[in-house]
Amino acid sequence: QVQLVESGGGLVQAGESLLLSCKASEPIDNFVFMNWYRQAPGKQRELVAVIARGGATTYADSVRGRFMISRNNAENTVALQMNDLKSQDTAVYYCNVRDKVARDFWGHGTQVTVSS
């Protein structure tokens, strides 16, 4: 069972930045995709950013140009740099990985609150 632990959430003002980190319990090279999702109160969970094993990245339209996903194989981490935060970015952010046999694993989430 893969364990994922997110960190870095908090309360910030609009326009500020946060860096989220997700540490995996095994080498991230085992995963085909490493993703960040978020879920705002009363809304469905949505995909925010994806980084594939080969390094290709994809972003939701709402965060493209402000957020950047990256991975560090040596530390078994995936990060989400969030800049120019807006109130609509307020949500619980979840780390998700998919392995080579299409199993999904989730972290417990970290709260990001952006005050305007």
Side-chain angles (χ1 to χ4, degrees):
Q1 184 76 6
V2 176
Q3 305 294 322
L4 301 171
V5 179
E6 300 102 333
S7 61
L11 172 63
V12 296
Q13 301 280 337
E16 294 184 340
S17 299
L18 275 176
L19 176 65
L20 303 184
S21 182
C22 171
K23 186 167 180 63
S25 58
E26 61 181 71
I28 62 174
D29 219 29
N30 292 341
F31 309 128
V32 177
F33 296 106
M34 299 191 71
N35 314 307
W36 285 97
Y37 283 77
R38 67 186 180 187
Q39 187 165 20
K43 294 188 177 182
Q44 289 193 330
R45 192 170 295 190
E46 64 171 343
L47 181 61
V48 175
V50 177
I51 186 163
R53 187 177 180 210
T57 58
T58 305
Y59 297 93
D61 288 343
S62 59
V63 307
R64 188 176 294 113
R66 299 188 297 121
F67 290 12
M68 186 174 73
I69 189 170
S70 61
R71 57 191 290 162
N72 185 322
N73 286 9
E75 296 184 356
N76 295 330
T77 58
V78 60
L80 185 68
Q81 175 67 47
M82 305 187 295
N83 299 323
D84 188 23
L85 283 160
K86 306 177 186 300
S87 58
Q88 52 263 46
D89 295 318
T90 295
V92 178
Y93 284 71
Y94 296 92
C95 180
N96 162 265
V97 300
R98 175 164 291 184
D99 70 9
K100 297 172 186 177
V101 293
R103 292 179 301 182
D104 282 320
F105 301 94
W106 294 87
H108 292 294
T110 185
Q111 176 70 47
V112 172
T113 303
V114 184
S115 63
S116 55

